[in-house]
Amino acid sequence: MSTSTPTRPSARSATTGSPYFLVIVALYVTSLITANTVAVKVLNVGFWTSDAGILTFPIAYIVGDVLTEVYGYATARRVIWLGFVCNAIAVGVFQLAMVMPAEPSWDGGAAYERIFAATPRLLLASMCAYLVGSFVNAFVLARMKILTNGRWLWMRTIGSTIVGEGLDTVVFVLIAFAGVFSGQVLVEMMYTNWLLKTAYETAATPITYKVVNALKRVEQVDADDRATNFNPLAVGA
């Protein structure tokens, strides 16, 4: 009697109905929307100046690394676009609430507009940064995985973050805040954001290792992107 060796499921089939995958996607979308909402506040803590998106946006990159490493670039690409669509919906609701008439005794209109009137510009900045940063991050990590034959995860996560977060930060800060703050403040925001996000990723590397290894074991999948179409617009691929 012949026996066959069981094969691991594909990355796409592994995501179907997976509670772990759903939690990862929810964390990714929450981190993205939260970061883009609070980014209107500029923080100054000691030696660094940064928008408040620094509090959660690096989490989206870490989760993106996990998605690409475990489920592959194609899955990460779909989640990236899903996050953008969800963010666009949130912005649409913010704007609709702003233009609708308020109850006469409510005196929070000016404060509401002060925060949410900037959101469309932040959405544009986020979209452009997405196209550059998120996809470059996923691409670099996936290609490095191929080149290293799946070894040195720490090198792939940190290396992809250095490139992706660097480009993301420059694009986002220029579009979101050019003309709002001086050139000096913009430069400070760029390099402090970049350094802090990279440090964030580096510090989270042990956790990333544990999550990636646990997911690969539980989901029985380890993506191989050798035949992947890396076009960021090929959502259905």
Side-chain angles (χ1 to χ4, degrees), residues 41-56:
K41 180 171 183 177
V42 177
L43 307 177
N44 184 265
V45 182
F47 65 93
W48 59 270
T49 301
S50 169
D51 65 83
I54 188 68
L55 298 175
T56 62

Side-chain angles (χ1 to χ4, degrees), residues 68-84:
T68 305
E69 173 67 21
V70 178
Y71 302 104
Y73 177 89
T75 298
R77 173 175 52 206
R78 290 191 291 273
V79 175
I80 288 170
W81 282 112
L82 173 65
F84 174 77

Side-chain angles (χ1 to χ4, degrees), residues 170-181:
V170 171
V171 172
F172 182 81
V173 170
L174 286 178
I175 296 177
F177 300 115
V180 178
F181 299 106

Side-chain angles (χ1 to χ4, degrees), residues 8-12 14 69-71 212 215-223:
R8 286 190 172 190
S10 66
R12 176 170 288 197
E69 173 67 21
V70 178
Y71 302 104
V212 165
L215 282 173
K216 287 180 178 180
R217 183 177 63 254
V218 173
E219 300 281 52
Q220 287 295 295
V221 64
D222 188 356

Side-chain angles (χ1 to χ4, degrees), residues 52-106:
I54 188 68
L55 298 175
T56 62
F57 193 69
I59 297 174
Y61 262 71
I62 294 171
V63 174
D65 286 347
V66 172
L67 283 167
T68 305
E69 173 67 21
V70 178
Y71 302 104
Y73 177 89
T75 298
R77 173 175 52 206
R78 290 191 291 273
V79 175
I80 288 170
W81 282 112
L82 173 65
F84 174 77
V85 171
C86 291
N87 189 54
I89 292 172
V91 170
V93 174
F94 297 156
Q95 298 307 300
L96 179 61
M98 185 168 59
V99 300
M100 291 184 68
E103 198 278 328
S105 64
W106 184 65

Side-chain angles (χ1 to χ4, degrees), residues 3-235:
T3 59
S4 60
T5 302
T7 58
R8 286 190 172 190
S10 66
R12 176 170 288 197
S13 64
T15 63
T16 304
S18 167
Y20 307 103
F21 180 72
L22 292 177
V23 169
I24 292 171
V25 173
L27 180 60
Y28 182 90
V29 173
T30 301
S31 301
L32 175 66
I33 293 178
T34 303
N36 287 340
T37 303
V38 302
V40 294
K41 180 171 183 177
V42 177
L43 307 177
N44 184 265
V45 182
F47 65 93
W48 59 270
T49 301
S50 169
D51 65 83
I54 188 68
L55 298 175
T56 62
F57 193 69
I59 297 174
Y61 262 71
I62 294 171
V63 174
D65 286 347
V66 172
L67 283 167
T68 305
E69 173 67 21
V70 178
Y71 302 104
Y73 177 89
T75 298
R77 173 175 52 206
R78 290 191 291 273
V79 175
I80 288 170
W81 282 112
L82 173 65
F84 174 77
V85 171
C86 291
N87 189 54
I89 292 172
V91 170
V93 174
F94 297 156
Q95 298 307 300
L96 179 61
M98 185 168 59
V99 300
M100 291 184 68
E103 198 278 328
S105 64
W106 184 65
D107 61 357
Y112 186 94
E113 291 185 15
R114 178 70 178 84
I115 298 300
F116 290 110
T119 306
R121 183 174 179 179
L122 294 178
L123 177 62
L124 175 62
S126 174
M127 178 183 69
C128 295
Y130 236 66
L131 295 176
V132 177
S134 297
F135 286 118
V136 167
N137 179 76
F139 173 80
V140 170
L141 191 144
R143 295 299 296 176
M144 287 183 69
K145 184 176 183 179
I146 295 171
L147 293 174
T148 62
N149 290 317
R151 296 172 295 173
W152 308 319
L153 176 60
W154 64 270
M155 181 187 296
R156 302 200 302 277
T157 58
I158 296 174
S160 62
T161 295
I162 290 173
V163 179
E165 287 279 24
L167 293 173
D168 182 286
T169 300
V170 171
V171 172
F172 182 81
V173 170
L174 286 178
I175 296 177
F177 300 115
V180 178
F181 299 106
S182 68
Q184 180 180 349
V185 172
L186 294 180
V187 171
E188 288 179 0
M189 290 176 67
M190 287 179 193
Y191 73 74
T192 54
N193 265 301
W194 182 49
L195 290 175
L196 285 169
K197 289 172 182 176
T198 302
Y200 203 133
E201 175 82 53
T202 302
T205 296
I207 299 174
T208 304
Y209 260 88
K210 290 182 181 297
V211 172
V212 165
N213 290 333
L215 282 173
K216 287 180 178 180
R217 183 177 63 254
V218 173
E219 300 281 52
Q220 287 295 295
V221 64
D222 188 356
D224 185 341
D225 282 310
R226 296 176 195 276
T228 298
N229 177 2
F230 287 99
N231 181 350
L233 300 178
V235 180

